[in-house]
Amino acid sequence: MAIDCVSTMPHHPTPRDEEQKHLVFDASLLNYHPHIPKQFIWPDHEKPSVTAPQLHVPLIDLRGFLSGDPVAAMEASRLVGEACQHHGFFLVVNHGVDDMLVAHAHAYMDNFFELPLTDKQRAHRKLGEHCGYASSFTGRFSSKLPWKETLSFRYSADKNSSKTVQDYLLHKLGDEFKHFGKVYQDYCEAMSKLSLAIMELLAMSLGVRRSHFREFFEENESIMRLNYYPPCQKPDLALGTGPHCDPTSLTILHQDRVGGLQVFVDDEWRSISPNLEAFVVNIGDTFKVNTIFISNINPILHNVYSTVASVCFQALANGRYKSCLHRAVVNRHTTRKSLAFFLCPKGDKVVAPPTELVDANNPRVYPDFTWPMLLEFTQKHYRADMNTLEVFSNWVQHSHI
Ligand SMILES: C=C1C[C@]23C[C@@]1(O)CC[C@H]2[C@]1(C)CCC[C@@](C)(C(=O)O)[C@H]1[C@@H]3C(=O)O
Ligand SMILES: O=C(O)CCC(=O)C(=O)O
Ligand SMILES: [Fe+2]
């Protein structure tokens, strides 16, 4: 039976769009259709198991650490280190982010994604760009389309930056989105603050100066993304977000009560159950690279400090650290939402080990790069998956830039 749920929308044409004929996934037509277009069907080896056994990730209470208690800070950093050694995922509670802000961020998401497609398209995400509204990336990809709509925008923690979240959303969507813009501006500020606190815990867990990563990310230029996953009548054939490791540095995710996040641990997919009070935190490829030179700086300290650090050191130094592969599944009945804050370094920061620390025993694993290079790679050349960093690294070394 022919499926006619994909509408044709006018938007800025590019040659690559030709093949797609400007297809835009209109959720209001597709959600309850018994069949799904073939572009959404994932190959057998990537098809999801909608119900996966639960993964018990550590629930880390940040209250003591955030109020300056050194013993609580040590304990929180120990748990962070342990989680990063195993899979790189952990939950934080008593994180200091206002519950109402989180509730508003979810409520405003509903308002936005329930708008008619033509209104959402005002913020249309252009090919090769990472900001704006995208519906299943039609136009960008022609197969393995994700069953989701997204709205993404930049956040700069640099106080002198003129580009605010609020201005961007207002400019794209119109004056009536002023409050909408303010909610996400506040949300990003809260996420940036929380990320810097978590960076202190990560530094402690690796046995380096507590402020080391905080300073590196102080003026972060991050990405905020609203993920909206409509119901799908074939959840065993489709995926909301395909398997990938985040190419960014650190992700702070808030998932609503529906559930759908799965992590690949010990050779199987496991789910992380929703917890409205918690943020799910995971490490991305760019942070993984940052930690390599830390391991090189002081291997003795690492051995003394904890086995966690030395195990990380070995895995990282050999470039075999396959952390945090994850994906999001969809379901038949309920729309699912998640708010993802991707912490990224400021554009001019070079992600590299200092040259004086590299020698025959500590060879370079990845080439020097800046975050904008990797971001461009994921937007113009390669769809982020579980191999992004390796492929990017080869690409840079074969001097494509
Ligand atoms: C830099 C990025 C690319 C993606 C968004 C993000 O900010 C971080 C994760 C990436 C992504 C989610 C990984 C899975 C594939 C992807 C295409 C998606 O399904 O959204 C990725 C994002 C992208 O827009 O390229
Ligand atoms: O929605 C989710 O639970 C995960 C989304 C995700 O992994 C991402 O946007 O990078
Ligand atoms: Fe992700």
Side-chain angles (χ1 to χ4, degrees):
M1 170 184 176
I3 298 161
D4 188 20
C5 299
V6 185
S7 63
T8 306
M9 289 290 302
H11 70 288
H12 310 284
T14 69
R16 229 178 115 194
D17 278 344
E18 265 319 293
E19 195 195 337
Q20 290 287 301
K21 301 280 183 241
H22 313 301
L23 297 179
V24 175
F25 164 39
D26 189 344
S28 61
L29 300 171
L30 268 182
N31 299 355
Y32 296 102
H33 202 286
H35 299 283
I36 61 173
K38 64 176 186 320
Q39 294 97 320
F40 289 93
I41 301 178
W42 286 64
D44 284 348
H45 69 281
E46 287 178 304
K47 281 196 176 67
S49 46
V50 179
T51 51
Q54 200 185 330
L55 176 67
H56 295 280
V57 285
L59 188 70
I60 306 180
D61 187 336
L62 297 185
R63 194 192 302 277
F65 159 65
L66 292 175
S67 60
D69 174 350
V71 178
M74 282 305 288
E75 176 58 7
S77 78
R78 189 185 66 77
L79 292 170
V80 164
E82 226 167 71
C84 293
Q85 179 192 11
H86 196 188
H87 41 58
F89 272 81
F90 54 93
L91 302 185
V92 292
V93 287
N94 294 320
H95 38 62
V97 180
D98 182 2
D99 293 348
M100 285 312 289
L101 179 59
V102 180
H104 281 138
H106 275 285
Y108 277 83
M109 250 183 104
D110 286 326
N111 295 349
F112 176 79
F113 287 103
E114 281 161 14
L115 289 172
L117 187 56
T118 40
D119 290 353
K120 293 182 276 193
Q121 284 288 98
R122 290 208 293 255
H124 169 67
R125 177 172 162 184
K126 298 196 187 104
L127 264 187
E129 290 187 7
H130 68 284
C131 290
Y133 167 76
S135 168
S136 293
F137 306 132
T138 46
R140 185 173 166 201
F141 308 126
S142 51
S143 64
K144 301 203 284 185
L145 295 185
W147 195 270
K148 70 179 166 188
E149 297 174 62
T150 57
L151 178 64
S152 316
F153 35 88
R154 289 183 193 89
Y155 167 76
S156 171
D158 181 349
K159 294 282 166 270
N160 299 316
S161 167
S162 54
K163 297 165 271 176
T164 71
V165 167
Q166 189 174 24
D167 290 345
Y168 170 79
L169 293 171
L170 203 91
H171 170 73
K172 288 287 174 192
L173 298 168
D175 282 351
E176 64 275 29
F177 284 82
K178 194 167 180 181
H179 194 62
F180 178 88
K182 177 78 172 96
V183 167
Y184 293 110
Q185 175 75 43
D186 291 351
Y187 189 84
C188 288
E189 278 164 17
M191 289 301 108
S192 175
K193 188 171 169 209
L194 178 57
S195 306
L196 297 181
I198 294 170
M199 280 297 157
E200 288 191 8
L201 294 177
L202 283 162
M204 291 169 74
S205 79
L206 283 158
V208 295
R209 194 165 44 87
R210 184 167 161 162
S211 60
H212 182 89
F213 294 125
R214 170 183 275 283
E215 285 161 10
F216 189 82
F217 289 103
E218 199 88 63
E219 294 187 327
N220 64 84
E221 289 175 353
S222 298
I223 301 171
M224 178 73 213
R225 173 179 274 213
L226 316 181
N227 288 313
Y228 190 81
Y229 302 98
C232 172
Q233 297 313 305
K234 288 277 185 275
D236 45 343
L237 304 181
L239 275 170
T241 296
H244 67 283
C245 301
D246 293 336
T248 42
S249 293
L250 187 83
T251 305
I252 304 190
L253 185 95
H254 193 271
Q255 48 172 351
D256 69 4
R257 59 181 82 248
V258 180
L261 174 62
Q262 297 186 348
V263 184
F264 196 66
V265 182
D266 300 335
D267 264 346
E268 63 169 349
W269 287 101
R270 312 274 295 270
S271 62
I272 297 197
S273 302
N275 177 342
L276 293 184
E277 283 161 22
F279 287 103
V280 184
V281 182
N282 70 274
I283 279 164
D285 286 341
T286 297
F287 184 74
K288 186 172 97 172
V289 175
N290 273 122
T291 62
I292 292 171
F293 78 88
I294 297 300
S295 313
N296 286 347
I297 286 172
N298 201 339
I300 297 168
L301 185 69
H302 275 263
N303 292 338
V304 173
Y305 191 76
S306 71
T307 48
V308 172
S310 59
V311 169
C312 277
F313 167 63
Q314 286 166 37
L316 292 171
N318 293 316
R320 282 187 275 103
Y321 190 50
K322 303 279 184 216
S323 65
C324 34
L325 178 61
H326 59 285
R327 68 184 182 188
V329 300
V330 287
N331 73 84
R332 274 200 181 81
H333 307 288
T334 324
T335 295
R336 170 172 183 264
K337 288 176 288 141
S338 70
L339 296 153
F341 178 82
F342 298 105
L343 181 77
C344 312
K346 189 174 162 65
D348 59 5
K349 293 263 182 209
V350 177
V351 182
T355 43
E356 66 271 26
L357 298 175
V358 177
D359 57 29
N361 297 325
N362 295 302
R364 291 291 302 270
V365 180
Y366 299 105
D368 282 4
F369 70 91
T370 60
W371 164 247
M373 287 159 65
L374 179 52
L375 177 61
E376 185 177 345
F377 183 70
T378 67
Q379 300 309 301
K380 297 197 177 148
H381 307 287
Y382 189 82
R383 185 198 311 208
D385 63 7
M386 59 294 270
N387 301 316
T388 315
L389 190 59
E390 275 17 82
V391 182
F392 171 67
S393 175
N394 282 332
W395 189 76
V396 171
Q397 278 156 349
H398 293 91
S399 61
H400 286 281
I401 41 171

